[in-house]
Amino acid sequence: MEPKATCPAAACLVERKFHVLVGVTGSVAALKLPLLVSKLLDIPGLEVAVVTTERAKHFYNPQDIPVSLYSDADEWEMWKCRTDPVLHIDLRRWADLLLVAPLDANTLGKVASGICDNLLTCVIRAWDCSKPLLFCPAMNTAMWEHPVTAQQVNQLKAFGYVEIPCVTKKLVCGDKGLGAMAEVGTIVDKVKEVLFQHIGFQQS
Ligand SMILES: CC(C)(CO)[C@@H](O)C(=O)NCCC(=O)N/C=C\S
């Protein structure tokens, strides 16, 4: 995952790219994934990879995702015996920032309670909390308004994860209300903000 330096000295001279791992889950807002990845790639110095849940695959075409796209099967393809790499650990090491967009109601619940039954939730479960984790909730308004949602969003914030709040829209099912994923521009601006903070730390 890391660029191979030709020699140790060169390693410190190579300004490696800032690694953004995008997690995508089974909200209809996952149809925005190609646009989100495209806008992130417009930021100089970023390298992007995607981890998808199985349900998210219903909402985008993998041919529209021009970066590495990992799913549950990849973990099991890679690991056959004890000396093989563990994909969710490789990914948590590779990533400097994790952006879960959209975070659907199901995965919100899993993350809030530590369930890790797929590649994405395993990456999150193993996440190094010294690195930024940003999440973009997206779900039907009725789901958003259920009292468990606020409890679980607050639990993720208590972990130190950063919420990019959902917005009010006429949703695809016809309901009008909160639950729409934040606009892609808002999400990308937040990533830039965190990135510049991070670089600021590096340069200080
Ligand atoms: C899809 C998009 C981005 C179009 O603007 C917007 O409606 C949205 O974020 N919806 C997510 C909410 C959701 O998952 N609804 C599921 C049932 S209503």
Side-chain angles (χ1 to χ4, degrees):
M1 300 299 238
E2 296 297 330
K4 296 282 176 281
T6 49
C7 72
C12 63
L13 298 180
V14 169
E15 272 300 300
R16 76 159 172 81
K17 292 204 166 194
F18 188 83
H19 297 161
V20 173
L21 185 61
V22 177
V24 60
T25 65
S27 161
V28 63
L31 63 79
K32 294 285 184 99
L33 181 67
L35 177 64
L36 175 61
V37 170
S38 168
K39 294 296 182 190
L40 288 172
L41 290 173
D42 286 344
I43 303 174
L46 279 203
E47 189 171 331
V48 179
V50 176
V51 177
T52 184
T53 66
E54 289 306 302
R55 291 289 171 271
K57 292 179 175 179
H58 293 283
F59 299 105
Y60 63 85
N61 180 342
Q63 290 172 347
D64 297 334
I65 310 298
V67 297
S68 298
L69 174 61
Y70 298 98
S71 59
D72 298 352
D74 296 309
E75 177 112 70
W76 306 115
E77 280 307 304
M78 284 174 74
W79 199 93
K80 301 291 187 197
C81 69
R82 57 183 294 169
T83 54
D84 286 342
V86 179
L87 182 54
H88 63 272
I89 300 304
D90 282 358
L91 289 171
R92 60 119 25 210
R93 287 178 182 152
W94 177 85
D96 297 306
L97 179 149
L98 175 57
L99 170 67
V100 188
L103 177 65
D104 65 13
N106 179 47
T107 307
L108 170 61
K110 289 181 181 180
V111 173
S113 50
I115 291 173
C116 39
D117 62 353
N118 58 24
L119 179 58
L120 177 56
T121 51
C122 284
V123 172
I124 297 171
R125 188 71 170 73
W127 189 249
D128 172 353
C129 290
S130 72
K131 299 179 186 178
L133 189 156
L134 284 57
F135 64 97
C136 309
M139 61 192 80
N140 173 274
T141 305
M143 285 187 169
W144 178 257
E145 290 172 349
H146 189 291
V148 74
T149 306
Q151 291 173 6
Q152 293 174 341
V153 168
N154 288 334
Q155 178 63 76
L156 267 60
K157 292 160 87 170
F159 293 152
Y161 307 159
V162 177
E163 180 190 19
I164 303 177
C166 59
V167 297
T168 297
K169 262 187 187 174
K170 184 173 169 49
L171 302 177
V172 295
C173 55
D175 290 352
K176 180 166 171 45
L178 276 167
M181 184 171 77
E183 294 302 336
V184 167
T186 304
I187 298 170
V188 172
D189 286 347
K190 190 66 182 175
V191 170
K192 283 181 188 170
E193 182 188 314
V194 173
L195 171 60
F196 298 147
Q197 284 167 2
H198 175 88
I199 288 178
F201 296 150
Q202 272 188 337
Q203 286 161 355
S204 58

